[in-house]
Amino acid sequence: MKLLFVAAFALFVLSTFDHADSSAYDKIVAHSRIRARKEGPNVCALQQVMGTKKKYFSTCRNWYQGAICGKKATVLYECCPGYMKLEGMRGCPAVAPIDHVYGTLGLVKATSTQKYSDISKLRPEIEGPGSYTFFAPSNEAWENLDEVSHKQNKNPESFSAHFHNKHSVCEQQALHVVTVNCARIIYGNQVATNGVVHVIDRVISAVGNTIQDTIEVDDDLTTLSDLAQNAGLLEKLGMPGHYTLFAPTNEAFDKLGSDVLERLQSDKEVLKALLNFHLLGSIQCSEAIIAGSSYETLEGNNIEIGCDGESLTVNGIKMVLKKDVVTTNGVIHFIDQVLMPDSAKQVMELVGQSQSTFGDMVSELGLSAAMRPEAEYTLLAPLNVAFTDEVMSMDQRLLKVILENHILKNKIVLGQLYNGQRVETIGGKYLRVFIYRTAVCIENSCLVRGSKEGSNGALHLMKTLLKPAEKTMFEILTENGGFKIFLSLMEAAGLTDLLKQEGDFTLFAPSDKAFTGLSERDLDLLKSDINALRSILLYHINNGIFIGGGLETGVTNLLKSIQGSNIKVLSANKTMLVNSVQIPESDIMATNGVIHFVNHVLYPGDLPVGSQDLLTLLRRIITYRQLKYISGFKYQEIPLTFMTPEMSRVTSVIQGEPTITKVTRVIEGQPSVTKVTRVIEGQPSVTKVTRVIEGQPSITKVTRVVSGNIFSLELESQRIFINERRTPGRRVLGKTNPAFVTNAV
């Protein structure tokens, strides 16, 4: 009866080995031939792990490292599959004879398998007509079996698993390694008259259980089974597919602690992400892993699977307790740790080793304790190198304020950041986001690769500590004290308000050192031609905020100045150059832009000079480039469209209970500028003055005298003059005129 079962089973096998696997094995052999081409025709090069009988067609990396799974390996040269040596001839010039499957087992030196084929009465089948694929365990594979397994695998039913059957055999191909039911093919594609033989490195058994079946009945995986059921994933593990499950044992989950387990179970999506992080959409047997490789999990992020000697590693850690539990829909490796994906972590758990100082300081200063578990946050975590001795010696209250600038109120992942965005910190300050060709920056600091997303927040790695802007460009330069000449020239050019107004500008500010040697007479010469002065000053300013870390390194970045010509900025080797001039201090953030200090005056390369006196002066302060002289050249007027008109509001406040008198006067013709002086005695009242004047104004001065305490208000007027006041008795209204008028009450 058993023999009839084997015969029926054998007739059901596929006619050839899977084309993909055959092709993969052929590529392995082709690579091996290339490495051994100096040894003669049809010779293959292999690596054998020292101290073992294991031989591999290895990867390029392992070949040049001379090691497999961290263990020293020696090089062997053997005949490639299907070829033989001939005495006195170089290489392997002869083709091996073709026989039926049973005879081929002898040719490939799988004599133990040949013997057990006799014992299991399988020999007649594999000698007869048909098209079979036979996975023949090597002699060493049989020797490695324990006595009980040895006896079990001699019977026909278990031995039939070595026929290829798509319902009971899991095939895997990896770079330079092909496995069947996690048994490595060590000698493949040996053609027979009635099929093909592949020699494998272990004895395989028939497989009947799914991954779901296995974890439901294993006493070490009860917690995993319950969690998979709660997450709605258990049934999926019972469906057809090709999976690798890294299955944490009950003890592994116990290590997390009850609080963490409760948090995970309370959020089904987080729990699902956690379990999917342990699951691959491909079969990865231990024998196929001969070097560390990254694999994408069903959660979406990657884990690294590697090896250390005989041990399988996950993310570089030896955590596999039992490996290669083969099922009908994949393979299971038991592990003693839970793999925690970022998507299942709280935001503070995202902090890694390179930002550990930030994490420690946030905890020590009480900021992490104040973060509510149900709220979402974003950590802008500076690297450890940002916390210098100077920073660590700061007053803790000041350091706490600085760190508050690195925690945002909401969860903002990398893909949600955009140029011009303003993000709020837990301290109530707003930070600006800048997007460049090769960088994303927030204020003065740029992001480093390695952003993470957790269950209640996100983390971005920052190069340096953030320094949010608090003052305008004008305030920064004034308080610095080293830019007096530049500020005086800006005032002479009528451009001071540009440094005060709202906007996004980049200023290359020339220090007083840039004007060394100039006399008051020289400065007067600069100020004498306002168009020339504006052209020079506005060449130092451009629209948009460009910080050093945001510039593409190693190439020239062209920034268009407000004057119109390009500024050439180069960032390389932690040095920033503008028009080949070194910038001694960069990235001083202002509320209306960023300032880079320079010790030179910049001048457009395409702009000539038309005055000999000005040329002589400029050559004294601009030494990094040649200036072009064109006699009579006149600087063009630059429209000040970039300047924001200043809006003025005048409000006079007079104490007491007011009565309101409103006078509206419309003046035709050429309007005037009216100056009003009001003197009021007694308890003042609230007076509101609104004036709208169109056209070119002239000046008129009006004086009013009211008995009581004195209160005066001077106003710049326009075309329509409105006067509101409180009087105890009669009202006096007078028309304005260009003359000086006095109204007395």
Side-chain angles (χ1 to χ4, degrees):
M1 191 69 182
K2 288 181 180 179
L3 193 57
L4 289 174
F5 172 80
V6 173
F9 189 91
L11 292 173
F12 189 67
V13 301
L14 300 177
S15 60
T16 61
F17 192 34
D18 186 289
H19 291 295
D21 290 321
S22 178
S23 174
Y25 189 81
D26 289 341
K27 289 179 180 178
I28 293 171
V29 173
H31 280 289
S32 184
R33 282 176 180 269
I34 293 172
R35 292 194 179 102
R37 59 182 177 268
K38 294 181 179 179
E39 303 299 319
N42 307 317
V43 176
C44 285
L46 296 88
Q47 283 182 292
Q48 181 173 357
V49 179
M50 293 183 66
T52 72
K53 295 182 179 180
K54 286 189 173 183
K55 302 175 186 178
Y56 293 88
F57 299 102
S58 70
T59 64
C60 291
R61 182 172 65 179
N62 289 332
W63 179 265
Y64 291 112
Q65 288 179 346
I68 303 274
C69 288
K71 303 299 179 182
K72 188 72 175 176
T74 58
V75 178
L76 299 177
Y77 297 100
E78 297 180 355
C79 290
C80 295
Y83 297 92
M84 299 177 63
K85 285 184 172 293
L86 288 179
E87 188 175 353
M89 297 188 68
R90 187 168 174 268
C92 303
V95 177
I98 299 178
D99 201 350
H100 46 61
V101 169
Y102 180 81
T104 302
L105 293 174
L107 290 174
V108 295
K109 300 179 182 178
T111 54
S112 295
T113 299
Q114 196 176 43
K115 179 178 68 175
Y116 294 133
S117 298
D118 281 329
I119 296 173
S120 62
K121 303 188 184 306
L122 196 61
R123 178 175 178 175
E125 291 294 323
I126 58 178
E127 282 185 333
S131 183
Y132 305 111
T133 297
F134 202 111
F135 300 103
S138 66
N139 293 343
E140 290 80 9
W142 289 107
E143 292 172 3
N144 292 335
L145 282 179
D146 58 55
E147 188 64 24
V148 175
S149 298
H150 204 157
K151 290 179 180 178
Q152 288 176 344
N153 281 283
K154 289 181 183 179
N155 71 68
E157 287 178 332
S158 62
F159 195 68
S160 65
H162 295 83
F163 284 97
H164 183 262
N165 183 303
K166 65 181 178 180
H167 298 295
S168 62
V169 177
C170 292
E171 302 162 0
Q172 176 205 359
Q173 63 175 27
L175 188 62
H176 297 280
V177 179
V178 178
T179 65
V180 177
N181 280 17
C182 290
R184 182 169 56 91
I185 296 178
I186 56 177
Y187 193 96
N189 288 349
Q190 185 62 51
V191 178
T193 57
N194 57 348
V196 63
V197 175
H198 306 286
V199 180
I200 56 179
D201 70 343
R202 71 178 69 173
V203 179
I204 60 178
S205 300
V207 178
N209 293 331
T210 64
I211 293 177
Q212 179 184 3
D213 297 331
T214 303
I215 66 175
E216 282 184 324
V217 301
D218 196 297
D219 291 338
D220 289 330
L221 303 178
T222 55
T223 303
L224 175 62
S225 179
D226 292 341
L227 294 177
Q229 181 69 49
N230 294 340
L233 290 176
L234 192 59
E235 290 186 3
K236 178 179 181 178
L237 299 178
M239 296 179 180
H242 296 84
Y243 303 112
T244 298
L245 173 64
F246 291 91
T249 61
N250 297 337
E251 290 185 1
F253 281 108
D254 290 341
K255 293 177 184 178
L256 292 179
S258 58
D259 291 345
V260 176
L261 272 177
E262 288 177 10
R263 175 173 65 81
L264 294 172
Q265 294 183 81
S266 66
D267 190 327
K268 187 174 180 179
E269 290 303 313
V270 170
L271 182 59
K272 188 175 181 180
L274 173 75
L275 297 179
N276 276 331
F277 193 60
H278 293 76
L279 200 60
L280 307 181
S282 60
I283 297 174
Q284 300 300 331
C285 296
S286 63
E287 280 299 324
I289 306 297
I290 60 176
S293 298
S294 184
Y295 297 88
E296 185 177 1
T297 67
L298 295 190
E299 182 264 346
N301 285 301
N302 287 22
I303 60 174
E304 184 179 277
I305 307 173
C307 55
D308 186 351
E310 294 293 323
S311 300
L312 195 63
T313 62
V314 182
N315 292 337
I317 302 172
K318 291 183 181 180
M319 61 173 68
V320 179
L321 301 172
K322 183 164 64 174
K323 57 188 179 182
D324 297 340
V325 178
V326 180
T327 68
T328 58
N329 60 345
V331 61
I332 305 173
H333 305 295
F334 289 50
I335 57 177
D336 63 3
Q337 296 183 35
V338 176
L339 305 175
M340 189 70 71
D342 291 337
S343 56
K345 294 178 181 178
Q346 293 275 289
V347 66
M348 284 303 297
E349 295 173 334
L350 298 176
V351 178
Q353 286 298 316
S354 65
Q355 320 99 53
S356 58
T357 305
F358 170 76
D360 293 343
M361 297 307 299
V362 168
S363 298
E364 288 179 19
L365 296 175
L367 293 174
S368 60
M371 296 167 66
R372 295 176 288 115
E374 69 278 7
E376 292 187 335
Y377 301 93
T378 299
L379 303 180
L380 306 176
L383 299 176
N384 293 338
V385 294
F387 291 88
T388 61
D389 292 340
E390 181 183 359
V391 173
M392 298 303 288
S393 62
M394 283 182 180
D395 184 282
Q396 288 201 342
R397 289 170 297 182
L398 177 58
L399 186 56
K400 184 176 181 180
V401 172
I402 292 174
L403 293 180
E404 284 178 345
N405 296 330
H406 294 76
I407 305 175
L408 305 182
K409 280 187 175 180
N410 300 306
K411 177 180 178 180
I412 305 175
V413 299
L414 185 61
Q416 294 174 325
L417 294 173
Y418 59 88
N419 193 56
Q421 183 179 10
R422 292 169 65 86
V423 292
E424 187 179 3
T425 70
I426 61 172
K429 292 185 179 179
Y430 285 88
L431 308 176
R432 296 163 296 181
V433 179
F434 312 118
I435 307 296
Y436 305 106
R437 278 172 52 90
T438 58
V440 177
C441 305
I442 299 177
E443 290 298 333
N444 61 297
S445 184
C446 296
L447 276 64
V448 179
R449 186 183 299 275
S451 294
K452 301 176 183 179
E453 180 180 359
S455 60
N456 74 326
L459 177 142
H460 304 299
L461 277 63
M462 310 301 294
K463 289 183 179 179
T464 59
L465 286 171
L466 288 165
K467 298 176 183 177
E470 297 180 349
K471 300 175 182 178
T472 65
M473 291 182 177
F474 180 79
E475 291 170 329
I476 292 171
L477 295 177
T478 301
E479 292 181 12
N480 181 279
F483 297 86
K484 294 177 182 178
I485 298 176
F486 172 70
L487 291 175
S488 70
L489 293 175
M490 290 290 286
E491 184 178 3
L495 299 174
T496 299
D497 286 345
L498 179 60
L499 304 177
K500 299 177 181 179
Q501 70 184 37
E502 293 182 358
D504 295 317
F505 302 104
T506 298
L507 168 63
F508 297 92
S511 67
D512 291 343
K513 293 179 182 178
F515 301 95
T516 300
L518 294 190
S519 64
E520 286 296 326
R521 183 177 178 182
D522 294 328
L523 294 176
D524 289 340
L525 176 61
L526 276 176
K527 297 173 184 178
S528 63
D529 186 340
I530 192 168
N531 288 335
L533 181 59
R534 286 178 175 177
S535 295
I536 296 171
L537 294 176
L538 293 177
Y539 182 63
H540 292 75
I541 308 171
N542 70 274
N543 282 306
I545 297 177
F546 297 92
I547 66 173
L551 299 172
E552 189 170 349
T553 59
V555 298
T556 299
N557 299 265
L558 298 179
L559 310 182
K560 188 174 183 179
S561 70
I562 294 179
Q563 176 269 338
S565 300
N566 287 332
I567 305 171
K568 298 177 181 179
V569 185
L570 177 65
S571 178
N573 301 321
K574 299 182 179 180
T575 300
M576 192 172 171
L577 304 175
V578 54
N579 289 0
S580 75
V581 172
Q582 187 167 347
I583 297 175
E585 189 173 352
S586 62
D587 301 342
I588 298 93
M589 305 307 295
T591 56
N592 55 348
V594 62
I595 307 174
H596 307 295
F597 294 166
V598 290
N599 293 327
H600 293 76
V601 175
L602 306 179
Y603 191 87
D606 57 351
L607 192 67
V609 181
S611 164
Q612 191 66 52
D613 291 340
L614 182 60
L615 177 66
T616 302
L617 187 153
L618 291 178
R619 281 177 174 171
R620 289 163 54 194
I621 58 176
I622 301 172
T623 57
Y624 67 93
R625 75 178 336 152
Q626 293 292 324
L627 299 178
K628 294 187 295 184
Y629 174 71
I630 298 179
S631 179
F633 172 78
K634 299 293 184 181
Y635 291 91
Q636 297 296 314
E637 181 179 356
I638 300 175
L640 303 184
T641 54
F642 48 85
M643 299 282 284
T644 302
E646 187 173 355
M647 302 289 293
S648 298
R649 172 188 262 178
V650 180
T651 303
S652 65
V653 179
I654 305 175
Q655 295 181 354
E657 293 297 327
T659 60
I660 305 296
T661 299
K662 185 172 183 180
V663 178
T664 303
R665 295 178 182 164
V666 180
I667 303 173
E668 301 289 342
Q670 293 297 320
S672 62
V673 173
T674 303
K675 185 171 185 181
V676 180
T677 301
R678 298 161 69 191
V679 181
I680 304 174
E681 294 184 1
Q683 295 298 319
S685 60
V686 176
T687 300
K688 184 174 183 181
V689 178
T690 304
R691 286 164 302 161
V692 180
I693 298 177
E694 298 178 357
Q696 297 297 320
S698 62
I699 295 179
T700 300
K701 184 171 184 180
V702 177
T703 302
R704 290 188 180 148
V705 181
V706 181
S707 62
N709 292 331
I710 295 175
F711 180 85
S712 65
L713 173 64
E714 290 191 1
L715 302 171
E716 296 296 325
S717 126
Q718 285 107 19
R719 166 175 283 228
I720 300 174
F721 170 69
I722 301 169
N723 178 21
E724 301 168 357
R725 63 187 178 90
R726 175 177 179 267
T727 62
R730 64 190 182 87
R731 300 173 181 172
V732 178
L733 306 179
K735 294 184 179 179
T736 59
N737 56 64
F740 181 90
V741 179
T742 300
N743 291 336
V745 178

